Amino acid sequence: MPFTTPPALNRPWRRLACMALCAASLPAWSQTAGGAATGNAPAAAAPTLVAALDSDPNRMGWMQGFPPPPDKLITHAPGADKFPRNRWLFSHIRELVPTAAVWRGNGPASALPRAEREIGSIAFNDADGTRRTFDEMLALTYTDGILVMHQGKVIYERYFGALDSHTPHIAMSVTKSFVGTLAAMLAAEGKLDPAAPVTRYLPELAGTAYGDATVRQVMDMTIGVRYSEDYANPKAEVWDYARAGGMLARPAGYNGPPNFYEFLKTLQKDGEHDAAFAYKTVNAEVLAWILRRASGQSLARLLSERIWQPMGAEQDAYFTVDSIGTESGGGGLNTTLRDLARFGETIRGNGRFNGRQIIPAPVVADIRGGGDRGQFAKSGSATALPGWSYRDMWWVSHDSHGMLQAAGIHGQRIYIDPKAELTIVRYASHPVAGNAANNPITFRAFRALAETLMR
Amino acid sequence: MPFTTPPALNRPWRRLACMALCAASLPAWSQTAGGAATGNAPAAAAPTLVAALDSDPNRMGWMQGFPPPPDKLITHAPGADKFPRNRWLFSHIRELVPTAAVWRGNGPASALPRAEREIGSIAFNDADGTRRTFDEMLALTYTDGILVMHQGKVIYERYFGALDSHTPHIAMSVTKSFVGTLAAMLAAEGKLDPAAPVTRYLPELAGTAYGDATVRQVMDMTIGVRYSEDYANPKAEVWDYARAGGMLARPAGYNGPPNFYEFLKTLQKDGEHDAAFAYKTVNAEVLAWILRRASGQSLARLLSERIWQPMGAEQDAYFTVDSIGTESGGGGLNTTLRDLARFGETIRGNGRFNGRQIIPAPVVADIRGGGDRGQFAKSGSATALPGWSYRDMWWVSHDSHGMLQAAGIHGQRIYIDPKAELTIVRYASHPVAGNAANNPITFRAFRALAETLMR
């Protein structure tokens, strides 16, 4: 069991953060009954605020004691990933499943200069028009940790529940943006041809949905493949995928594909490629496979050599692996929040960080330029994110700040606002997987922060 | 999959070492037929020398490719721990089973000054009277890595096969010496009473073999318990223990104890406590449980705070954990060779390393003073190790050099020779589990090195 007590340095922050959240929750608590009766907007959010505090994994006592009591156990069994267990699980993934290390190297960690300021009281109106603060947003999005960098300095860093500054948390689909970036890096070196057919690298995928697709179509997720990413549907293929990769526990008698590769070989075409953007995790898994073949390296080693070591990561990261050691490129990366911030700052800095050009500047420019907005407009993602596009597995807003993000279910996020010189990274364990559940308040809080910082 | 290619620095060594071993193997190979016919001593060792080279996991191609070919897969299935798969497995444990991190902290790694010298050609006579070199010993003991420190400096460091300087290798029962040392440290602080009954800390063990035992009896393994540690017997309880802890894959339909705690509760008394030393891994597991209750911390956290961080470890270590997150204190620690050397040097330095007193000097003095030699003489271990004793889970030779060691199956070793100012750490993957298979050549090679260095 790891280290739920933060280092001494963090204790005052945690106490402060707790005070802020508790203070926020008190009126919420007292409003609950009346608010629910009148059905007004604050009442809808108030129970959530309390739920976030009450679901703190330390308060709930998950996995405490030797052994923990039976009703406080979290094991690799179906349901472990569900709220409120996920509030503990997401910071303890390696204790339940096999993993591969992403080595940080032997050098010193790169500096993260600090210029802390109190941003927790910055106010904004939520989707219902209720006045909220940045710190209230943290509770309402079930934040496990948040780190804000402005003009290259850490201005805010808070941890809650099971997370602390040195423990990796699962990044979920933020993983994909690492995979897409690595693909773009190899392409820039001529080691990977985005225009090539997928089968040049993966002949095994002839006869599958990917048999007539290009690498670029995979990188930008414009693949026509029968595969549902509907997290609210327990029969969606995303869960079959997760069981094949061992990330989700398998029921007794499981006879599905034994690993990622075998699962990917079952995917059949549905519609046409390049007809529309369609967010499907399997594309990231296919791209990870292509990267291995193109580089001759495991994904863990590629990420270590290309990004983790050059950027001076503070801690090793790790990938969950399937039964034959294959890393999950779709959602299996676990990092500390600080190292996630280093990566976000590398992108914000046009590929430059830690005194060196880690990612070629044209690669970052291409990512920030975004993908095909017409294809995105035809996707299911366009309702929540109008005007956006998707490029190299990054979400690009095309807003007036040039904002782009990496995003994972349950609230994982790298949010980069170049105009405001701002990078926000957040790890969370929201009860609802889809980010539609937290985007409305997340975006408003982050934008309000950006505008405050730009004054 | 991690980092089978060594850092650039190591390449020349590896080449040199390979040359040395290949040179050694050539006459061996050519002697095989005739040697076997005549039955003389060199012939017995010659096929072994070749077998060590031929079983190099890179040469055998284990887990290479994406995916690896079916006949080159190593998964968490029965048999994965057997030779020659163990040659790959022992450096990749975390990729097959869940693990808990032992955090190294955020500070710099402590310095390991270097004063390299060529000791590979140091010669000695093996048990059969054959003239051997130190480097031949490496192959004959299926060494994955060796690091020799003399007078506080690294004089020799070599890696083979799947191991390199930054990848953790399983320490097997060397783990126990960490657990025993931590127990002695807590005892010195008054947080653990060696004279107390085990049931003061573990009331659950009333009615088991430990119901009338003291903590000290556990620390020194003078417990009368029905449990066989005979690695050559597939029905020995040591395998039931390993399956309960999830370290060994479970056969289909497994219905044994689901975790370490439940297994320990099944152990029944056999004979009397304090009658004799009896080496049984379950004692280390009981002691690990006692440590958790006495400290309120997990074993991973305790090791991190008490030893790994203070000694300036270079890499995080990790423990294998069972299905409810319990670390294996009997054999589940994985470390780099360099960090194992730091710990060995801490013991050799009377608890002082990295500019600070990490372990109280009286604790180390007590360990080095050894346990009850009379009880040891009555044990099954006394034939191979006459005159030795066991204290706080360390093996103490009582020889003229004051040598003591931590030892794990398949050749894992911390060998400390205070008189020669020498610490040798070795990770290995010998085909035979019991150290009786390598002790005869290991002890002779290490002693020859010590005597050469003392000249």
Side-chain angles (χ1 to χ4, degrees):
Chain A
M1 299 297 96
F3 318 96
T4 47
T5 303
L9 183 65
N10 287 340
R11 288 209 184 100
W13 302 346
R14 189 180 284 237
R15 196 160 55 238
L16 273 176
C18 180
M19 285 169 63
L21 291 172
C22 291
S25 78
L26 284 179
W29 185 284
S30 61
Q31 284 167 18
T32 304
T38 60
N40 60 15
T48 310
L49 205 54
V50 175
L53 293 159
D54 284 351
S55 65
D56 178 292
N58 298 326
R59 189 183 294 194
M60 294 197 80
W62 297 119
M63 296 299 278
Q64 292 174 16
F66 310 106
D71 63 339
K72 296 299 183 186
L73 278 176
I74 297 177
T75 65
H76 191 51
D81 59 313
K82 303 302 179 208
F83 183 86
R85 286 179 172 78
N86 69 335
R87 305 223 66 190
W88 179 90
L89 175 67
F90 290 177
S91 300
H92 293 86
I93 295 287
R94 73 176 286 173
E95 292 160 47
L96 275 75
V97 297
T99 55
V102 178
W103 188 44
R104 61 170 294 280
N106 270 329
S110 56
L112 284 184
R114 306 188 77 90
E116 294 178 51
R117 49 191 283 187
E118 185 46 51
I119 61 171
S121 57
I122 290 174
F124 61 97
N125 292 329
D126 74 11
D128 298 314
T130 307
R131 200 71 179 159
R132 291 286 177 196
T133 66
F134 193 85
D135 273 349
E136 281 178 300
M137 175 277 295
L138 298 181
L140 292 168
T141 57
Y142 297 82
T143 293
D144 298 324
I146 191 159
L147 193 157
V148 179
M149 297 199 67
H150 180 231
Q151 296 176 336
K153 293 179 178 164
V154 179
I155 64 168
Y156 202 72
E157 184 180 12
R158 298 286 187 279
Y159 297 96
F160 307 95
L163 193 60
D164 59 37
S165 65
H166 70 264
T167 298
H169 185 289
I170 190 158
M172 297 293 187
S173 295
V174 169
T175 307
K176 295 178 176 70
S177 304
F178 285 92
V179 171
T181 303
L182 288 167
M185 290 169 73
L186 290 189
E189 293 171 23
K191 292 183 177 160
L192 175 67
D193 181 2
V198 169
T199 51
R200 180 187 297 175
Y201 303 99
L202 308 177
E204 296 94 328
L205 292 191
T208 74
Y210 297 89
D212 60 350
T214 67
V215 173
R216 169 50 67 196
Q217 288 163 347
V218 176
M219 292 167 77
D220 291 351
M221 292 213 196
T222 59
I223 295 288
V225 53
R226 190 175 310 130
Y227 171 93
S228 165
E229 192 86 13
D230 179 5
Y231 301 106
N233 175 7
K235 300 205 165 173
E237 286 89 349
V238 63
W239 307 120
D240 298 331
Y241 149 80
R243 279 184 285 268
M247 298 138 85
L248 274 191
R250 298 169 175 178
Y254 174 82
N255 62 357
N259 57 54
F260 285 128
Y261 298 129
E262 293 303 317
F263 177 79
L264 296 178
K265 287 196 259 180
T266 69
L267 294 169
Q268 291 304 307
K269 204 167 172 186
D270 186 18
E272 292 305 313
H273 305 320
D274 262 349
F277 166 68
Y279 181 79
K280 300 189 174 188
T281 290
V282 284
N283 293 316
E285 225 56 81
V286 168
L287 189 57
W289 194 358
I290 291 171
L291 290 183
R292 294 183 192 103
R293 285 274 170 81
S295 69
Q297 296 186 320
S298 72
L299 187 59
R301 183 165 176 175
L302 192 62
L303 180 57
S304 170
E305 292 189 0
R306 297 307 186 110
I307 296 177
W308 229 245
Q309 294 186 51
M311 79 177 188
E314 200 166 300
Q315 308 293 338
D316 290 350
Y318 64 83
F319 282 101
T320 61
V321 296
D322 69 11
S323 64
I324 60 169
T326 319
E327 310 94 333
S328 166
L333 182 63
N334 293 255
T335 81
T336 65
L337 206 52
R338 289 182 179 174
D339 289 331
L340 199 65
R342 286 179 169 92
F343 181 62
E345 283 286 282
T346 303
I347 297 294
R348 191 180 70 79
N350 302 309
R352 196 170 175 81
F353 187 77
N354 196 24
R356 52 192 287 190
Q357 193 72 33
I358 297 169
I359 305 168
V363 166
V364 179
D366 184 66
I367 291 171
R368 287 167 62 163
D372 188 311
R373 297 171 72 176
Q375 289 178 334
F376 194 93
K378 288 185 272 181
S379 78
S381 307
T383 311
L385 305 172
W388 288 51
S389 73
Y390 194 78
R391 183 69 165 178
D392 294 339
M393 306 208 167
W394 284 86
W395 301 88
V396 182
S397 76
H398 300 280
D399 72 2
S400 62
H401 286 202
M403 184 268 281
L404 73 164
Q405 67 167 7
I409 53 172
H410 298 282
Q412 324 316 324
R413 201 72 59 109
I414 305 175
Y415 178 99
I416 300 167
D417 182 332
K419 188 170 182 189
E421 303 170 89
L422 172 69
T423 295
I424 306 173
V425 289
R426 181 186 67 196
Y427 278 138
S429 43
H430 197 287
V432 179
N435 276 310
N438 75 64
N439 272 343
I441 191 164
T442 295
F443 285 142
R444 284 176 177 79
F446 289 4
R447 183 65 172 230
L449 172 59
E451 289 171 355
T452 302
L453 294 172
M454 289 170 70
R455 271 179 212 147
Chain B
M1 299 302 96
F3 316 101
T4 48
T5 304
L9 183 66
N10 287 340
R11 289 209 184 96
W13 300 346
R14 190 179 284 237
R15 196 161 52 237
L16 273 174
C18 180
M19 285 168 62
L21 291 172
C22 291
S25 79
L26 284 179
W29 184 285
S30 61
Q31 286 169 19
T32 304
T38 60
N40 62 14
T48 310
L49 206 54
V50 176
L53 292 160
D54 285 349
S55 65
D56 177 293
N58 298 327
R59 187 183 297 195
M60 294 197 81
W62 297 119
M63 296 300 277
Q64 292 174 15
F66 310 105
D71 64 338
K72 298 298 183 185
L73 279 175
I74 297 177
T75 65
H76 191 50
D81 60 313
K82 301 302 178 209
F83 182 86
R85 287 180 170 77
N86 69 336
R87 304 223 68 191
W88 179 89
L89 176 67
F90 290 177
S91 299
H92 293 85
I93 294 288
R94 72 176 288 173
E95 292 160 47
L96 276 75
V97 297
T99 55
V102 178
W103 187 44
R104 61 171 294 279
N106 270 328
S110 57
L112 284 185
R114 304 189 78 91
E116 295 179 50
R117 51 189 282 186
E118 186 44 54
I119 61 172
S121 57
I122 290 174
F124 61 96
N125 292 328
D126 73 12
D128 298 315
T130 308
R131 200 70 178 159
R132 291 286 176 194
T133 66
F134 192 85
D135 274 348
E136 282 178 300
M137 175 276 295
L138 299 181
L140 292 168
T141 57
Y142 297 81
T143 293
D144 298 323
I146 190 159
L147 193 157
V148 179
M149 297 198 67
H150 180 230
Q151 295 176 336
K153 293 179 180 165
V154 179
I155 64 168
Y156 202 70
E157 184 180 12
R158 298 285 187 281
Y159 298 95
F160 307 94
L163 193 61
D164 59 37
S165 65
H166 69 265
T167 297
H169 185 288
I170 189 158
M172 297 295 187
S173 295
V174 170
T175 308
K176 296 178 175 70
S177 304
F178 284 92
V179 171
T181 303
L182 287 168
M185 290 168 73
L186 291 188
E189 295 171 22
K191 292 183 176 161
L192 174 68
D193 181 2
V198 169
T199 52
R200 179 188 296 174
Y201 303 97
L202 308 177
E204 295 94 329
L205 293 190
T208 74
Y210 298 90
D212 61 350
T214 66
V215 173
R216 168 51 66 197
Q217 289 162 345
V218 177
M219 292 168 76
D220 292 350
M221 292 213 195
T222 58
I223 296 288
V225 54
R226 191 175 309 131
Y227 170 93
S228 166
E229 193 84 14
D230 178 5
Y231 301 105
N233 176 6
K235 300 205 166 176
E237 287 88 350
V238 63
W239 307 121
D240 298 332
Y241 148 81
R243 278 183 286 267
M247 300 138 85
L248 273 192
R250 297 167 176 180
Y254 174 81
N255 63 357
N259 57 55
F260 285 128
Y261 298 130
E262 293 303 318
F263 177 79
L264 296 177
K265 287 195 261 180
T266 70
L267 293 168
Q268 292 303 308
K269 202 165 174 186
D270 185 18
E272 292 305 314
H273 307 319
D274 262 348
F277 165 69
Y279 181 80
K280 301 190 175 188
T281 290
V282 284
N283 292 318
E285 225 57 80
V286 168
L287 190 57
W289 193 359
I290 291 171
L291 289 183
R292 295 183 191 103
R293 284 274 170 82
S295 69
Q297 296 186 320
S298 71
L299 187 58
R301 183 165 176 174
L302 192 62
L303 180 56
S304 170
E305 292 190 359
R306 297 305 186 112
I307 295 177
W308 229 246
Q309 294 186 53
M311 80 178 187
E314 200 165 299
Q315 308 293 339
D316 291 351
Y318 64 83
F319 282 101
T320 61
V321 297
D322 69 11
S323 64
I324 60 168
T326 319
E327 311 93 334
S328 165
L333 183 63
N334 293 255
T335 81
T336 65
L337 205 53
R338 289 182 179 175
D339 289 331
L340 199 66
R342 286 179 169 92
F343 181 61
E345 283 286 282
T346 304
I347 296 294
R348 191 181 70 79
N350 301 309
R352 195 169 176 83
F353 187 77
N354 194 24
R356 51 192 288 191
Q357 193 73 32
I358 296 168
I359 304 168
V363 167
V364 178
D366 184 65
I367 290 170
R368 287 167 61 163
D372 187 310
R373 297 171 72 175
Q375 289 179 333
F376 194 94
K378 287 185 271 178
S379 77
S381 307
T383 311
L385 305 173
W388 288 52
S389 72
Y390 194 79
R391 183 67 165 179
D392 295 338
M393 305 206 169
W394 285 87
W395 301 89
V396 182
S397 76
H398 300 280
D399 72 3
S400 61
H401 287 201
M403 185 268 281
L404 73 165
Q405 66 166 10
I409 53 171
H410 298 282
Q412 324 317 323
R413 201 72 59 109
I414 304 174
Y415 178 100
I416 301 167
D417 182 331
K419 189 171 182 189
E421 301 169 272
L422 172 69
T423 296
I424 306 173
V425 289
R426 180 184 67 196
Y427 280 140
S429 43
H430 197 285
V432 178
N435 277 310
N438 74 65
N439 272 343
I441 191 164
T442 296
F443 285 141
R444 283 176 177 79
F446 289 5
R447 184 62 173 232
L449 172 59
E451 288 172 357
T452 302
L453 294 173
M454 288 170 70
R455 269 178 216 146

